[in-house]
């Protein structure tokens, strides 16, 4: 549509990525369809079984007709509707959790794609510097001002950087395609995506959550689902206990015609729980109830633990990224400025200056990764506090640019 074309015409922001992922990805429709199925089951629980009609024909004009209604189903309907209502609410919470997981995965994909794009730009600058240095080395070697070893090292470093850049571009493409998949785009729309050159700046302050465990237990969707499951199993236990006595009660009018005379009465049918009084089913329902309680406890324990870990990662990753931003990058810039002055004063060679360019690029690359890790940790914290806790947080992904051209970054 035109709105999507307009959005894709500029740089795709994180908020726009989340909106597109919800509106365009067919995965969301499959999630919502599960809620529709639960809504249908809930509506069905409000309906009685269709009445039964019996007809017996004897000799001559004698016959008997019976119309039977499921009275037991009517008596048990409130319990069944209550069970299906809780199942519906569980389905809605599960759907909300699945959509939040999808949004979190989209955030992660966007953050990684932008970080990989920035890494590629850094490595391209390093390669450009190495190309200039290699060209200068060749010229000096041809004039006899550079040794064979220096020339060989320059060629080897250039070759290593070219290989590393090829791998980095592949990593950037892979991260971009993961984002495309999360957005639910294909064809021309997928090729139109333009990502920012940099990740968002770090916030000046981070959020303080004094009661992170309690908030996670109260707000986590998977914990709420587990609580609803306990309530549903409690209702199911009550239904199972009454079911052998009430589930098969049928009542209806009877008309009997014999010898031209008609008699009208009623018929009552029910099963006598002699062979099966429901003891086994009751025990099964009790075990399922105990299992649901245990699952709720496990969900609460996991929520508390994951929220602690996520908050610690959030705080530490911000501190690390801030140290790069406020201390290491300014120091690295100051060193580069001083080396440039020394070069202008003919105190160092051009090779020293190019080595400094690569060293500065390495620090910038590490800062990009630290910033990426912070935004990933923020996404993990969001999931640990309000979602399902299933948002992945991998702090060892794309590596930094190596000053010697070696590819030790994990690509």
């Amino acid at each position: 549509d035109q709105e999507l074309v307009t959005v894709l015409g500029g740089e795709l922001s994180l908020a726009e990525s989340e909106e597109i992922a919800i509106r365009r990805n067919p995965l969301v429709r499959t999630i919502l369809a599960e809620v529709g199925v639960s809504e249908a089951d809930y509506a069905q629980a409000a309906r009685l079984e269709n009445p039964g009609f019996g007809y017996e024909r004897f000799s001559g004009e004698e016959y008997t007709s019976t119309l039977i209604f499921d009275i037991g189903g009517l008596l048990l309907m409130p319990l069944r509707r209550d069970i299906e209502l809780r199942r519906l609410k569980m389905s809605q919470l599960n759907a909300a959790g699945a959509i939040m997981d999808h949004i979190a995965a989209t955030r992660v994909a966007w953050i990684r794609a932008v970080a990989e794009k920035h890494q590629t730009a850094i490595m391209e600058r390093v390669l450009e510097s190495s190309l200039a240095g290699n060209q200068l080395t060749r010229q000096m070697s041809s004039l006899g001002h550079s040794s064979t070893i220096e020339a060989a090292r320059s060629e080897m470093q250039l070759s290593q950087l070219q290989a590393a850049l090829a791998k980095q571009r592949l990593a950037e493409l892979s991260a971009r395609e993961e984002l495309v998949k999360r957005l639910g785009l294909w064809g021309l729309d997928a090729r139109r995506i333009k990502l920012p050159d940099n990740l968002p700046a770090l916030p000046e302050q981070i959020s303080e959550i004094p009661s992170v465990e309690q908030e996670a237990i109260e707000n986590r969707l998977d914990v709420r689902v587990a609580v609803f499951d306990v309530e549903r199993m409690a209702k199911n236990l009550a239904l199972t206990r009454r079911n052998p006595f009430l589930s098969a009660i049928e009542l209806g009018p009877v008309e009997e015609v014999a010898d031209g005379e008609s008699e009208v009465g009623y018929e009552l049918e029910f099963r006598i729980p002699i062979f099966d009084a429901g003891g086994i089913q009751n025990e099964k329902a009790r075990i399922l109830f105990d299992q649901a309680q245990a699952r709720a406890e496990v969900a609460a324990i996991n929520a508390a633990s994951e929220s602690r870990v996520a908050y610690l990662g959030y705080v530490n990753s911000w501190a690390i990224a801030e140290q790069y931003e406020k201390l290491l990058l300014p120091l690295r810039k100051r060193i580069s400025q001083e080396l440039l002055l020394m070069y202008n004063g003919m105190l160092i060679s051009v090779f020293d200056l190019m080595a400094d360019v690569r060293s500065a690029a390495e620090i910038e690359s590490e800062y990009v990764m630290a910033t990426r890790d912070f935004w990933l940790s923020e996404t993990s914290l969001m999931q640990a506090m309000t979602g399902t806790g299933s948002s992945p947080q991998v702090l060892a992904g794309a590596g930094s640019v190596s000053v010697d051209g070696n590819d030790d970054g994990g690509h």
Side-chain angles (χ1 to χ4, degrees), residues 11 29 68 80 111 250 260 274 296 362:
E11 290 184 349
R29 295 201 299 271
I68 297 296
R80 286 175 175 164
I111 292 166
E250 295 180 340
I274 297 177
E362 183 177 17

Side-chain angles (χ1 to χ4, degrees), residues 318-343:
W318 180 82
I320 294 171
E322 187 193 36
Q323 186 178 37
Y324 271 96
E325 182 179 73
K326 299 293 179 62
L327 179 62
L328 296 179
L329 285 181
L331 285 176
R332 181 63 260 183
K333 183 178 180 181
R334 182 178 176 182
I335 292 173
S336 296
Q337 291 172 344
E338 292 296 327
L339 288 174
L340 181 60
L341 291 175
M342 293 174 66
Y343 171 74

Side-chain angles (χ1 to χ4, degrees), residues 199-220:
L199 289 168
L202 292 174
E204 290 296 327
Q205 297 291 333
I206 57 175
S207 303
E208 294 186 3
I209 310 176
S211 56
V212 60
E213 300 174 13
Q214 187 63 31
E215 289 190 31
I217 293 174
E218 292 176 356
N219 299 323
R220 275 271 288 259

Side-chain angles (χ1 to χ4, degrees), residues 108 112 369 372-374 376-377 380 391-398:
V108 168
R112 288 179 172 164
M369 293 299 97
R372 179 205 66 177
D373 290 345
F374 166 74
L376 289 178
S377 67
S380 293
S391 175
Q393 179 184 357
V394 181
L395 301 184

